[in-house]
Amino acid sequence: MRFENTLDFAKSLDAKDVLKEYRSAFHYPQLNGKEVIYFTGNSLGLQPKNAQTYVDEIMKDWAQLAVEGHFYAKKPWWDYHERLAAPLAKVVGAKTKEVSVMNTLTVNLHFLMVSFYRPTNKRFKILCEEKAFPSDQYMLQSQAKFHGYDPKEIIVEVKKREGEHFWRTEDFIAKIDELGDELALVLLGGVNYYNGQVLDIQNITRAGKRVGAMVGWDLAHAAGNIALELHDWNVDFAAWCSYKYMNSGPGNASGVFVNERYLNRKDIPRFEGWWGTQKDKRFLMEPEFEPMPNADAWQVSNAPILSLAPYLASLQMFEEVGMTALIQKQKLLTSYLEYILTEIDKEVDSTFEIITPKDRGCQLSVFLHGEGRALFDYLMAQGVITDWREPNVIRLAPAPFYCSFEDMFEFGQILKKGILTK
Ligand SMILES: *Cc1c(COP(=O)(O)O)cnc(C)c1O
């Protein structure tokens, strides 16, 4: 498609957008009486308007039924979490039984490592990417220490090549092959939080499995953003948060994927609790743990129903729209943003360098050479909510559910003005 940097053209794309009605299904922060242009759906998604209804339902059931709500609420609480598994499985390309919702992301990665990082004298190394998200680094280091290792001796980082802003799949595979039977675990971010790169989950997983390692993925920036086929790609395990592209609300519960080959097994070590045991026996209070036949076996505590309510509300929308339509719009919207940046770049003396490679979801990370924090402050003051990383990188994530093509055009105009009037 030939893009144009005009309001009319942006509006014509909006008119054709099959998701255009979802724009009014979200709450937008306001600045100077106008809805903001929201580029930080990669950090915290906007609130779907139906979230309130779902939360109110729980509050009402709690008020009217109290403990009886566990079994007699409209959506009973004791297995409320099961309602999330089927729609979530579609988002990540899994069988329903391979998906569950529990805890928060880093907590779940720790729990999953209990099961899937089982170092031996021979096989003990962990492969991750250079400068992984800090929480993942702390998690891996503390797991290493927990098993009695010096993290420096067992954590192997795959680096970007000199002068390049992205990782190469062949470098992951070469390192996996080099570590071979010393490699216990590959744990990587599916979409990198900094440069927005989508890693080749399928081929990296294949390489890891070929040398006999476990392969897990942190999908914080991937779930609800890119096409995932976790089951078909033979991933061992994965976890993601729900408050970024999945719009479930701040700090909300995480989703997990456990490959079906690990289900129904008592020989896999897990940190266990009563919500992971067979649900028909849960209230018999017997001493023997019988794992649920699905990923719920990794559930430890009873579920935080008030958190799951807005998550379920959001999943209802993913269910209605489907990932195919969402990704289709995402590709067009991000390409349009890329085009707008290129056009504005020609009109100003600064230079923009998009460091996000073509393997991407909705995020573009951009070096604004010649600019500083003042530009970011200007954008924020004009109602463009974005995210600044020192020295001069902005991350722009136009989430397809609620960002419009007109937003991209308007952003371009504000950016240009911010640069020209400094
Ligand atoms: C956002 C993010 C997290 C956040 O972890 P929480 O446990 O939910 O606080 C972890 N890993 C990555 C890669 C992230 O982008």
Side-chain angles (χ1 to χ4, degrees):
M1 185 183 300
R2 271 184 73 100
F3 290 138
E4 291 170 30
N5 184 18
T6 63
L7 181 58
D8 279 350
F9 184 80
K11 282 187 166 171
S12 75
L13 287 179
D14 281 328
K16 281 182 270 179
D17 173 13
V18 295
L19 298 188
K20 60 175 177 282
E21 268 151 37
Y22 282 89
R23 205 172 150 75
S24 58
F26 288 87
H27 289 291
Y28 295 77
Q30 308 265 326
L31 193 76
N32 305 325
K34 260 188 73 186
E35 288 174 353
V36 299
I37 298 174
Y38 197 71
F39 278 122
T40 42
N42 57 347
S43 184
L44 180 70
L46 292 181
Q47 182 185 136
K49 287 182 180 163
N50 67 349
Q52 185 78 51
T53 314
Y54 280 65
V55 174
D56 287 348
E57 180 183 302
I58 308 293
M59 294 300 281
K60 199 165 132 227
D61 285 339
W62 177 24
Q64 295 177 350
L65 300 169
V67 74
E68 298 280 275
H70 280 297
F71 294 104
Y72 301 110
K74 207 158 116 216
K75 302 186 186 89
W77 306 331
W78 80 303
D79 57 6
Y80 191 96
H81 59 276
E82 290 180 4
R83 295 167 185 273
L84 287 85
L88 202 45
K90 287 189 202 160
V91 171
V92 299
K95 297 188 177 181
T96 300
K97 65 180 173 185
E98 293 173 314
V99 169
S100 187
V101 171
M102 60 189 79
N103 312 310
T104 44
L105 172 54
T106 311
V107 172
N108 281 335
L109 289 172
H110 274 298
F111 275 121
L112 290 165
M113 280 186 72
V114 166
S115 297
F116 300 113
Y117 177 58
R118 307 286 304 156
T120 63
N121 284 342
K122 187 164 163 52
R123 192 185 277 283
F124 52 92
K125 289 193 173 161
I126 300 172
L127 186 97
C128 66
E129 73 277 40
E130 169 188 32
K131 295 206 179 96
F133 190 81
S135 198
D136 296 43
Q137 294 189 46
Y138 307 148
M139 189 239 334
L140 293 179
Q141 289 164 18
S142 61
Q143 284 275 343
K145 287 187 230 163
F146 173 73
H147 285 283
Y149 298 112
D150 175 353
K152 286 199 283 298
E153 282 166 14
I154 68 157
I155 299 174
V156 179
E157 294 184 350
V158 175
K159 299 191 186 331
K160 303 183 198 104
R161 293 189 188 178
E162 191 71 30
E164 292 185 349
H165 295 301
F166 58 92
W167 286 269
R168 290 172 179 247
T169 302
E170 62 262 36
D171 292 351
F172 284 107
I173 293 175
K175 189 57 87 177
I176 287 169
D177 288 340
E178 180 191 319
L179 294 171
D181 56 10
E182 284 191 349
L183 184 61
L185 175 68
V186 176
L187 185 57
L188 298 165
V191 176
N192 184 261
Y193 77 99
Y194 184 75
N195 71 357
Q197 179 178 3
V198 175
L199 294 190
D200 186 344
I201 298 177
Q202 182 173 20
N203 281 311
I204 295 171
T205 300
R206 186 179 293 142
K209 297 313 295 171
R210 199 170 51 222
V211 302
M214 287 287 177
V215 184
W217 292 89
D218 177 339
L219 300 177
H221 284 256
N225 177 22
I226 62 165
L228 294 166
E229 294 296 343
L230 298 184
H231 178 84
D232 288 350
W233 294 342
N234 199 27
V235 165
D236 287 308
F237 69 92
W240 54 92
C241 49
S242 57
Y243 47 80
K244 292 174 178 168
Y245 293 104
M246 308 240 15
N247 312 322
S248 75
N252 208 340
S254 154
V256 303
F257 165 88
V258 179
N259 194 293
E260 70 176 335
R261 64 178 158 268
Y262 306 116
L263 303 179
N264 266 321
R265 295 214 355 215
K266 280 181 155 184
D267 59 323
I268 293 179
R270 259 185 307 258
F271 283 172
E272 292 167 346
W274 70 324
W275 238 247
T277 200
Q278 285 287 357
K279 72 177 194 182
D280 53 347
K281 300 212 186 110
R282 192 175 294 153
F283 295 99
L284 300 180
M285 305 297 188
E286 284 176 348
E288 178 85 1
F289 181 90
E290 293 288 341
M292 282 289 286
N294 52 22
D296 289 351
W298 275 261
Q299 293 240 355
V300 178
S301 296
N302 77 98
I305 305 301
L306 279 167
S307 298
L308 296 190
Y311 195 173
L312 185 58
S314 162
L315 280 170
Q316 206 91 56
M317 296 168 77
F318 277 88
E319 182 84 347
E320 276 166 31
V321 170
M323 286 307 293
T324 309
L326 210 56
I327 289 168
Q328 214 160 22
K329 174 170 175 192
Q330 173 251 298
K331 287 190 190 301
L332 194 61
L333 191 61
T334 307
S335 297
Y336 190 54
L337 174 61
E338 182 179 36
Y339 164 82
I340 295 281
L341 285 165
T342 321
E343 288 303 296
I344 301 298
D345 192 31
K346 293 178 196 157
E347 299 174 27
V348 297
D349 55 2
S350 317
T351 46
F352 306 150
E353 182 189 358
I354 297 175
I355 60 170
T356 304
K358 291 289 173 197
D359 295 326
R360 68 191 184 198
C362 94
Q363 176 178 329
L364 292 180
S365 302
V366 190
F367 264 118
L368 298 173
H369 295 298
E371 297 300 327
R373 207 186 150 92
L375 177 62
F376 169 75
D377 293 338
Y378 177 85
L379 292 174
M380 292 293 276
Q382 299 302 309
V384 177
I385 311 297
T386 171
D387 150 305
W388 181 266
R389 294 281 144 139
E390 293 296 338
N392 51 2
V393 170
I394 52 171
R395 296 188 301 169
L396 304 163
F401 250 127
Y402 46 74
C403 290
S404 67
F405 294 90
E406 187 175 336
D407 284 345
M408 303 305 110
F409 171 77
E410 291 294 341
F411 163 69
Q413 297 303 303
I414 295 168
L415 180 66
K416 181 166 135 187
K417 204 159 162 203
I419 292 172
L420 293 180
T421 59
K422 76 169 180 262

